[in-house]
Amino acid sequence: MRRIRFVKRSVRFPVSATLLRRLALASIIANVAIVVTGGAVRLTASGLGCPTWPRCTEDSYTTTPEMGVYGVIEFGNRLLTFAVGIIALAVVLAVLAHRPRRRGTLPLAVGVLFGIPAQAIIGGITVLTNLNPWVVGLHFLASMAVIAVAYALWRRIKDPDGPVAPTVPAPLRTLAWITTAASASVLVVGTWVTGSGPHAGDHGAARNGLDPAAISQVHADGVFLLIGLSVALYFAFRAVGAARAARAAAVLIAVELGQGVIGFVQYFTHLPAVLVGAHMLGSCLVLLATLGVLWATRERLPAAPEAPEAPAAPAAQRVGAAA
């Protein structure tokens, strides 16, 4: 009898590693952009341009002419959230289509995708609480967390699937983690400074009650500590011959110094909105540069080739062995 062999074919739309990495980079840029535009909402006193959430008014999901430019700015930032979410969804679909799929990329991509609506919900709570400064600070930190996960995904796409190996001695890896913790604490205290300052997002919004001068000094002390740790990392990396890690530390120092200059100038010029916005962008760059140092202290090796399976013994040998 003639056998009819059916060949199962699956239709695929393969995504190259280059395209996937570019999409992941676009996700990082989009999430940084929404931080900056969110700052523009606050700096233009448009935080309550749409006075409720998830609607813009009690009767409309969109802004109305009566709201003027404040409503347009706040509603525009809400719309940008959808654009950032679409990019994140595209990254997830690209990860699913990419072959061979890198281990760990899908959870990171999904984490970014779900982090965006979570961040949007916190943003809605800021509106419903009339721009409570502590909730506003949490909204900013949630964005930082999403950026960190997006960066991890971007780096993971390029890495092979082998084991992780350190590129610097263990004490320097510990110092890099301490520097990362210091960088995170500077971001947190920075939200406290913002919550005590004049840019509340609305002229009637409350402040957190902290003394602006005192909390700004605490923030500056943290920045000095962070720069000191970063300089120590740079020279330590050079001493052990870790050139890639030293370059990453040099980039971090440059970003920190630029951010520090903006911070001091904005403080002594009474916080002009343009400089405050630039400082928010700088905060994102400090985070990314810090993560760059952390990633430079390790590398992922190529996966070991799988051992070929032993050929099955001929049927005659198996019968003889059984006898």
Side-chain angles (χ1 to χ4, degrees):
M1 180 181 292
R2 192 176 184 184
R3 294 182 179 179
I4 301 176
R5 181 177 297 176
F6 293 94
V7 180
K8 184 179 180 181
R9 294 174 179 254
S10 59
V11 179
R12 293 180 180 177
F13 301 93
V15 172
S16 67
T18 300
L19 176 57
L20 180 56
R21 191 166 165 82
R22 287 175 179 173
L23 285 172
L25 180 59
S27 182
I28 296 174
I29 295 172
N31 279 283
V32 171
I34 203 168
V35 170
V36 176
T37 59
V41 171
R42 180 169 57 83
L43 295 170
T44 57
S46 303
L48 294 178
C50 287
T52 187
W53 187 88
R55 295 174 181 266
C56 193
T57 70
E58 294 295 336
D59 302 318
S60 174
Y61 282 97
T62 62
T63 184
T64 62
E66 292 77 17
M67 295 177 177
V69 67
Y70 298 117
V72 172
I73 293 173
E74 209 279 339
F75 183 70
N77 190 62
R78 294 188 184 189
L79 288 180
L80 185 59
T81 301
F82 290 98
V84 177
I86 290 172
I87 295 174
L89 177 60
V91 173
V92 171
L93 296 177
V95 167
L96 292 172
H98 179 63
R99 295 292 184 274
R101 186 184 304 165
R102 296 285 189 225
R103 288 197 300 267
T105 53
L106 185 58
L108 291 172
V110 172
V112 174
L113 179 61
F114 282 94
I116 292 169
Q119 186 257 18
I121 290 172
I122 297 174
I125 295 173
T126 66
V127 174
L128 297 177
T129 57
N130 294 318
L131 306 181
N132 180 289
W134 300 106
V135 183
V136 172
L138 179 61
H139 189 212
F140 173 80
L141 295 176
S143 295
M144 295 294 103
V146 174
I147 291 173
V149 177
Y151 179 86
L153 173 63
W154 180 67
R155 294 299 298 258
R156 182 65 190 91
I157 292 168
K158 188 177 180 180
D159 287 344
D161 283 333
V164 175
T167 59
V168 298
L172 295 188
R173 296 200 304 275
T174 301
L175 182 59
W177 277 107
I178 293 173
T179 304
T180 303
S183 182
S185 67
V186 166
L187 291 175
V188 172
V189 177
T191 64
W192 301 349
V193 175
T194 299
S196 69
H199 297 294
D202 185 80
H203 299 296
R207 302 286 70 204
N208 59 21
L210 299 175
D211 179 68
I215 196 62
S216 295
Q217 184 61 57
V218 172
H219 183 57
D221 292 341
V223 171
F224 288 135
L225 174 62
L226 176 59
I227 293 175
L229 290 171
S230 302
V231 171
L233 274 178
Y234 172 75
F235 286 107
F237 288 154
R238 290 196 59 182
V240 299
R244 184 167 68 95
R247 287 193 299 270
V251 171
L252 175 59
I253 293 169
V255 173
E256 289 167 349
L257 291 176
Q259 176 76 333
V261 169
I262 294 173
F264 276 107
V265 172
Q266 73 170 4
Y267 181 80
F268 289 108
T269 55
H270 307 291
L271 304 175
V274 173
L275 289 182
V276 175
H279 200 60
M280 293 187 68
L281 173 61
S283 298
C284 299
L285 298 180
V286 169
L287 172 64
L288 292 172
T290 302
L291 295 175
V293 171
L294 198 59
W295 253 261
T297 63
R298 35 81 75 196
E299 63 180 353
R300 191 176 289 272
L301 303 176
E306 296 182 1
E309 296 182 2
Q317 293 182 9
R318 294 198 296 270
V319 172

